[in-house]
């Protein structure tokens, strides 16, 4: 269906939607705040990661997400950030999921999600939309099944290709079905950007702003073993930090300075960091794709290396300034080694660029605190390479054990509050 026809169909449908009277504004209990418990960055999926329009026409889409902190009241964030036209969600449900990698929901936990009292919502072009509060008891480090029914597909999909989580879609309205055994499967998320939880005053969230190493390349599908997942588990195991959520805002192939896969870091900073409820800290772990991309087609003059180093540091300074204006502490993570990578094949000049940038990250007076990921995961005998036992094989991304090492290198004292 062409976008113009989508819009005409949507307008015609609106005449038949009966909206209830606007409810009184929901009052949050005194002593409670909203914080993010799960989130993911939005982008335009590449053609190989999109669903055909027919797959989301008169169709159900169920997606599984792994939360960090728990609570008894939650909210869902829908997204049409990159859509070409307003998008009608005809029905949205949420339930506790039986397990990662399964479409089954826990009996008795299915809830209708409403928006200003209505069970359906039209999300404007370029916008996110937050649901009404939903009373559903959610345990820390557990899984939710969020299910949409679409009459018509998005004119252009908004999503997150690197979900490392299986989603389920099939024809017809099956939002409350206990399982979807005949559904087709895809390992991507679509039109879904976050889950909040109501928490006691003082609770807060950490945003992990990064590229594929944060997104979890080479982790296990449905395994929830990214470094951010391991950090969330560590925070839950420590009584002093159990009220801190972890939001993974990593995009595979992301750059600080240019659009790669997804918008560049500075362009997405407002949506992925500042707009997150309850965010108090942001971990900035970006830059390797900018470094590698400079020489991907061959050597460049020394002046080009100097300019890139300057621009990367300036981008960090922009992030620090913008975060501080919103009361957010900024933690810099050193760029991990990537010598031997066959895609970027870095030479001596690129490796020196990384060392210069890491020296700036480590230096006092720049970031509010530093996590030395490079030191944690480097080869003791060659600091330009990943430790072989934690290398997934491409000399750029860790394996699941390596991700665990990254999480373990983060001092929980950084999040004292």
């Amino acid at each position: 269906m062409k976008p113009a026809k989508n819009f005409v169909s949507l307008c015609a449908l609106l005449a038949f939607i009966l909206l209830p009277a606007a409810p009184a504004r929901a009052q949050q209990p005194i002593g409670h705040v909203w914080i993010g418990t799960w989130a993911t960055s939005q982008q335009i999926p590449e053609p190989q990661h999109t669903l055909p329009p027919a797959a989301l026409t008169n169709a159900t889409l169920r997606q599984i997400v792994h939360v960090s902190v728990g609570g008894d009241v939650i909210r869902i964030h829908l997204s049409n950030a990159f859509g070409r036209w307003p998008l009608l969600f005809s029905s949205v449900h949420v339930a506790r999921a039986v397990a990662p990698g399964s479409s089954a929901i826990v009996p008795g936990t299915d809830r209708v999600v409403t928006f200003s009292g209505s069970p359906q919502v039209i999300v404007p072009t370029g916008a996110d939309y937050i649901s009404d509060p939903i009373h559903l008891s959610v345990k820390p480090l557990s899984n939710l099944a969020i299910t949409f029914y679409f009459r018509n597909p998005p004119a252009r999909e908004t999503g997150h290709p690197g979900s490392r989580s299986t989603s389920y879609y099939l024809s017809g309205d099956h939002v409350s079905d206990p399982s979807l055994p005949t559904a087709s499967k895809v390992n991507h998320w679509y039109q879904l950007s976050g889950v909040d939880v109501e928490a006691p005053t003082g609770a807060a969230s950490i945003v992990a702003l990064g590229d594929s190493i944060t997104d979890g390349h080479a982790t296990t599908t449905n395994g929830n073993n990214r470094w951010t997942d391991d950090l969330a588990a560590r925070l839950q195991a420590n009584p002093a930090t159990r009220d801190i959520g972890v939001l993974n805002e990593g995009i595979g192939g992301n750059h600080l300075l240019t659009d790669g896969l997804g918008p560049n870091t500075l362009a997405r900073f407002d949506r992925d960091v500042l707009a997150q409820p309850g965010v108090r800290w942001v971990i900035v772990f970006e830059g390797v794709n900018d470094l590698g991309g400079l020489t991907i087609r061959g050597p460049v003059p020394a002046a080009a290396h100097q300019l890139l180093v300057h621009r990367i540091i300036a981008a960090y300074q922009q992030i620090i300034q913008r975060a501080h204006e919103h009361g957010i502490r900024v933690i810099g993570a050193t760029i991990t080694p990537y010598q031997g990578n066959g895609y970027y094949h870095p030479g001596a000049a690129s490796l020196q660029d990384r060392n210069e940038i890491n020296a700036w990250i480590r230096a006092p007076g720049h970031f509010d605190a530093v996590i030395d990921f490079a030191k944690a995961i480097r080869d003791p005998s060659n600091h330009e390479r990943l430790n072989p036992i934690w290398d997934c094989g491409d000399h750029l991304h860790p394996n699941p054990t390596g991700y665990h090492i990254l999480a373990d290198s983060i001092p929980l004292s950084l999040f004292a509050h």
Side-chain angles (χ1 to χ4, degrees):
M1 182 178 289
K2 295 181 179 179
K5 290 185 178 179
N6 257 344
F7 185 66
V8 171
S9 298
L10 179 59
C11 290
L13 179 63
L14 296 184
F16 297 95
I17 296 177
L18 299 177
L19 294 178
R25 184 176 178 181
Q27 297 296 317
Q28 195 164 22
I30 296 173
H32 285 73
V33 294
W34 289 110
I35 67 168
T37 184
W38 174 87
T40 193
S41 299
Q42 302 301 293
Q43 64 185 92
I44 301 170
E46 298 171 274
Q48 67 269 30
H49 297 146
T50 59
L51 290 174
L56 293 180
T57 300
N58 179 33
T60 296
L61 173 65
R62 179 168 291 174
Q63 305 178 91
I64 312 300
V65 303
H66 185 70
V67 304
S68 50
V69 293
D72 294 324
V73 185
I74 64 172
R75 303 187 304 192
I76 306 297
H77 290 237
L78 309 181
S79 185
N80 192 25
F82 297 100
R84 290 195 176 102
W85 297 105
L87 177 61
L88 171 66
F89 290 76
S90 298
S91 183
V92 179
H93 281 222
V94 63
R96 294 203 297 265
V98 167
S102 169
S103 68
I105 61 176
V106 176
T109 66
D110 182 57
R111 301 288 188 273
V112 176
V113 181
T114 62
F115 304 84
S116 297
S118 174
Q120 53 192 342
V121 64
I122 299 167
V123 180
T125 305
D128 278 18
Y129 218 96
I130 305 173
S131 76
D132 299 333
I134 306 152
H135 291 269
L136 176 65
S137 182
V138 176
K139 293 181 179 180
L141 308 178
S142 64
N143 302 285
L144 291 175
I146 300 169
T147 311
F148 305 151
Y149 171 65
F150 296 106
R151 290 193 180 95
N152 293 296
R156 181 169 64 187
E157 291 167 10
T158 292
H160 188 85
S163 67
R164 277 90 200 177
S165 175
T166 303
S167 299
Y168 307 85
Y169 64 96
L170 75 167
S171 181
D173 184 351
H174 301 277
V175 289
S176 59
D177 285 14
S179 65
L180 307 175
T182 62
S184 298
K185 300 178 183 180
V186 63
N187 292 329
H188 311 304
W189 287 313
Y190 301 95
Q191 318 297 152
L192 177 65
S193 59
V195 178
D196 305 334
V197 65
E198 191 177 74
T201 299
S205 292
I206 305 162
V207 171
L209 187 67
D211 49 40
S212 57
I213 303 177
T214 297
D215 203 20
H217 179 86
T219 58
T220 310
T221 298
N222 299 313
N224 296 310
N225 50 5
R226 311 163 190 84
W227 70 260
T228 53
D229 297 314
D230 287 339
L231 173 60
R234 290 186 63 215
L235 291 167
Q236 285 300 313
N238 178 23
T241 56
R242 285 177 183 164
D243 59 352
I244 297 177
V246 180
L247 308 180
N248 187 319
E249 299 284 5
I251 294 180
N254 198 232
H255 294 68
L256 277 163
L257 303 172
T258 58
D259 289 350
L261 300 180
N264 68 77
T265 309
L266 292 181
R268 66 188 181 94
F269 185 78
D270 287 12
R271 180 175 62 241
D272 289 353
V273 179
L274 300 185
Q276 300 304 315
V279 59
R280 190 175 299 167
W281 305 273
V282 56
I283 299 172
V284 181
F285 184 29
E286 286 264 17
V288 71
N289 291 317
D290 298 83
L291 292 172
L294 180 67
T295 57
I296 196 169
R297 292 182 177 86
V300 298
H305 286 274
Q306 294 169 3
L307 178 60
L308 180 65
V309 170
H310 172 79
R311 292 187 66 212
I312 287 175
I313 291 172
Y316 291 152
Q317 291 171 323
Q318 287 285 306
I319 290 171
I320 293 166
Q321 177 179 325
R322 289 163 68 180
H324 283 176
E325 289 172 354
H326 291 265
I328 299 169
R329 288 178 56 81
V330 190
I331 301 168
T334 52
I335 301 171
T336 47
Y338 68 113
Q339 186 182 63
N341 176 254
Y343 182 70
Y344 285 141
H345 45 80
S350 292
L351 299 178
Q352 179 57 31
D353 293 344
R354 185 184 74 90
N355 289 327
E356 287 184 28
I357 291 167
N358 280 348
W360 188 91
I361 292 171
R362 293 183 181 112
H366 296 150
F367 286 100
D368 296 311
V370 175
I371 298 169
D372 206 340
F373 279 164
K375 182 178 179 180
I377 204 168
R378 68 193 182 191
D379 185 342
S381 63
N382 180 355
H383 291 179
E384 302 298 342
R385 286 183 177 267
L386 293 180
N387 190 319
I389 63 175
W390 299 324
D391 186 343
C392 80
D394 68 2
H395 311 304
L396 173 62
H397 299 93
N399 57 28
T401 303
Y403 282 113
H404 186 77
I405 294 297
L406 292 182
D408 276 356
S409 74
I410 301 173
L412 297 189
S413 59
L414 294 177
F415 313 113
H417 65 295

